[in-house]
């Protein structure tokens, strides 16, 4: 049973409040109930939010935690005045000292995602997602010159989720190519990739973990066998070493850690935050 | 030219520091240079970070802004003591009051993404990404019973990026189906979807914007023409109304706003944060 409720209140999507709030909550050994209250952008909605929070406070007999990223001062005031939760005003806390340091007022504009659907940054991001989908798993050699990153590695080493993350989060055009027995026989990276060596990054994985992952899809297959996985990983790592490309092992890493390391290593020029 | 440099310093990936820091910076009319310093997890690395920040401070003649999400106190102390930037300690600021309120110590564990690569939450998320890719653009009718969300809409209304975002960010298995002339003639949703009506959400878009987007891909085509776009959008909206499914217009909305609205409306049971 949860013992606390945590509210994320925002006048936008609430994604910032959630990302940050969850990172902070991860520092504690507790399993709170989490409630999103996005698009809280009028005083009326703020009064509803206050009622909901106070109702929870009464039911649970403890203060709900309320993470807010409100920029609308009217909305924030309603919540500050009426709410019986513990209010953590994430914007106010940092925006005010920055106003001092910058010598300028903040403009209290809602949401980093609002009104951006037609911005250059946003359309680049959508284009990057489309590019990455079209270049998943070596599907296409077209426009590789336009790629920001090209991932290589054996099947199921984590290439697809990583390329999609790079596209979605950072607006990078990320292609990915499987390394297959043909490449191992030729002892070379796939020929189409050779001209773009600077953009290539390799992913590897422990044979044990690979066999586990492949077995979920195709139990008992040669593809998933330890012997075959060990051979493929050995060959792939030898090839990456020979080619002088950078690579890492994904065995114990999350998509976010893999992506962050790739950005650090390749330093792609075009990087949309 | 930028007039300020903003550093994001983290002992993990720095994604939380960036997400939050960028949301705060978006409140100001300035275009700072942004520098990521992830994986700052030893005192040695912290000293390097201090040197880099102080060097920038001297060069630019103004205080760099330093967003930190450090949980390693040794690292944080090095930066607090040596750094000439304006330090915004995002964790400390909120973790301490929460320790009081919860009556427990935080465990100073690095990164919400660390060590999770084999957790249930993480493998569910990877599975959701694979599911969403396999069910992109109506590719497969298999396992639709396992989908958390099924998006429908005309081609290029925003279904693919939204399903991938729902999978990546929220661990939801999200399928998407295009509405095509056959469906319009039959005046019904694609038959395979009928049993899952509760999970269906529709996306629409203004014919003008749709024609613009399609023209980038296939300029001068019937597919992209205003007349055809107007017809398809009219038919699709009429069908969504008739079917009684929920829907929204993506014309001026970002992926994040669309996804947040879908979550609010469908309230899927399984939701990985």
């Amino acid at each position: 049973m949860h013992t606390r409720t945590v509210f994320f209140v925002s006048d936008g999507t609430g994604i910032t409040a959630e990302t940050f709030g969850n990172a902070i909550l991860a520092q504690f050994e507790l399993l709170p109930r989490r409630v999103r209250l996005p698009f809280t952008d009028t005083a009326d909605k703020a009064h509803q939010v206050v009622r909901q929070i106070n109702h929870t406070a009464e039911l649970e007999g403890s203060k709900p935690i309320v993470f807010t990223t409100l920029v609308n001062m009217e909305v924030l005031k309603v919540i500050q005045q009426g709410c019986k939760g513990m209010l953590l005003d994430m914007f106010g806390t940092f925006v005010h000292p920055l106003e001092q340091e910058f010598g300028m007022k903040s403009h209290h504009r809602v949401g980093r995602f609002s009104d951006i659907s037609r911005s250059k940054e946003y359309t680049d991001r959508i284009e990057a997602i489309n590019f990455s989908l079209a270049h998943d798993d070596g599907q296409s050699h077209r426009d590789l010159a336009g790629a920001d990153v090209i991932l290589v590695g054996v099947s199921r080493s984590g290439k697809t989720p990583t390329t999609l993350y790079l596209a979605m989060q950072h607006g990078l055009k990320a292609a990915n190519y499987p390394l297959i027995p043909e490449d191992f026989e030729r002892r070379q990276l796939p020929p189409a990739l050779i001209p773009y060596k600077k953009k290539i990054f390799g992913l590897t994985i422990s044979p044990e973990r690979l066999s586990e992952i492949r077995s979920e899809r195709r139990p008992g297959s040669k593809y998933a066998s330890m012997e075959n996985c060990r051979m493929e990983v050995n060959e792939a790592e030898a090839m990456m070493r020979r080619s002088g490309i950078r690579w890492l092992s994904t065995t114990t890493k999350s998509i976010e850690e893999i992506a962050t390391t790739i950005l650090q290593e390749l330093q792609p020029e075009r990087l949309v935050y």
Side-chain angles (χ1 to χ4, degrees), chain A:
Chain A
M1 231 289 280
H2 70 269
T3 51
R4 286 278 184 167
T5 299
V6 176
F7 291 93
F8 302 102
V9 186
S10 169
D11 21 30
T13 61
I15 289 165
T16 305
E18 267 182 62
T19 305
F20 189 56
N22 281 326
I24 294 201
L25 292 170
Q27 294 300 312
F28 295 95
E29 292 294 343
L30 46 83
L31 211 77
R33 183 174 73 112
R34 288 177 278 199
V35 180
R36 277 190 187 89
L37 299 171
F39 307 128
T40 307
D41 51 7
T42 63
D44 267 4
K45 289 186 195 166
H47 283 295
Q48 277 178 41
V49 161
V50 167
R51 275 194 295 275
Q52 185 172 351
I53 294 170
N54 292 353
H55 182 65
T56 302
E58 253 174 61
L59 275 182
E60 296 182 352
S62 66
K63 273 190 187 180
I65 309 302
V66 184
F67 287 103
T68 69
T69 47
L70 295 162
V71 294
N72 180 325
M73 297 315 281
E74 195 197 355
V75 171
L76 180 60
K77 208 165 281 169
V78 170
I79 293 176
Q80 279 173 333
Q81 286 171 353
C83 160
K84 289 180 185 147
M86 179 184 191
L87 205 63
L88 297 169
D89 173 11
M90 299 156 76
F91 269 20
T93 306
F94 294 111
V95 166
H96 298 149
L98 281 172
E99 285 183 338
Q100 298 257 309
E101 174 61 30
F102 292 149
M104 65 167 83
K105 280 274 161 203
S106 69
H107 48 47
H108 295 273
R109 202 174 290 154
V110 175
R112 74 184 169 111
F113 300 115
S114 282
D115 298 330
I116 64 159
S117 59
R118 300 184 73 164
S119 73
K120 173 92 173 70
E121 174 184 324
Y122 188 77
T123 50
D124 281 356
R125 206 171 138 216
I126 299 291
E127 206 187 312
I129 295 172
N130 290 330
F131 182 97
S132 300
L133 278 176
H135 292 80
D136 183 37
D137 206 30
Q139 275 177 68
S140 167
H141 294 188
R142 278 186 58 201
D143 305 327
L144 275 184
D148 298 300
V149 175
I150 302 171
L151 298 186
V152 297
V154 300
S155 159
R156 313 297 294 163
S157 55
K159 301 183 301 300
T160 296
T162 307
T163 46
L164 289 175
Y165 183 85
L166 287 168
M168 183 87 72
Q169 188 75 10
H170 298 290
L172 293 176
K173 291 183 178 174
N176 79 77
Y177 270 74
L179 295 178
I180 55 174
E182 266 180 71
D183 303 311
F184 302 143
E185 279 164 32
R186 223 180 19 236
R187 299 173 53 86
Q188 263 204 340
L189 289 172
L193 307 187
I194 307 281
Y196 309 111
K197 220 158 125 179
K198 276 194 185 161
K199 303 193 276 194
I200 300 179
F201 196 95
L203 300 186
T204 190
I205 184 169
S206 80
E208 293 75 19
R209 180 73 186 128
L210 183 63
S211 171
E212 235 177 85
I213 296 174
R214 288 183 172 184
S215 293
E216 276 162 35
R217 281 215 167 169
R218 301 202 212 151
S221 64
K222 184 190 165 214
Y223 168 78
S225 71
M226 257 311 291
E227 197 195 333
N228 182 58
C229 288
R230 192 171 292 126
M231 182 279 287
E232 285 194 30
V233 167
N234 281 343
E235 291 279 0
E237 292 185 0
M239 181 187 292
M240 296 193 276
R241 251 182 237 111
R242 266 197 315 272
S243 320
I245 62 167
R246 283 152 293 189
W247 52 287
L248 65 74
S249 168
T250 64
T251 311
T252 60
K253 290 197 161 57
S254 65
I255 305 176
E256 286 78 2
E257 291 172 312
I258 302 167
T260 302
T261 305
I262 294 171
L263 296 182
Q264 289 288 101
E265 293 285 334
L266 293 188
Q267 301 273 354
E269 280 169 37
R270 213 168 52 80
L271 196 57
V272 178
Y273 273 85

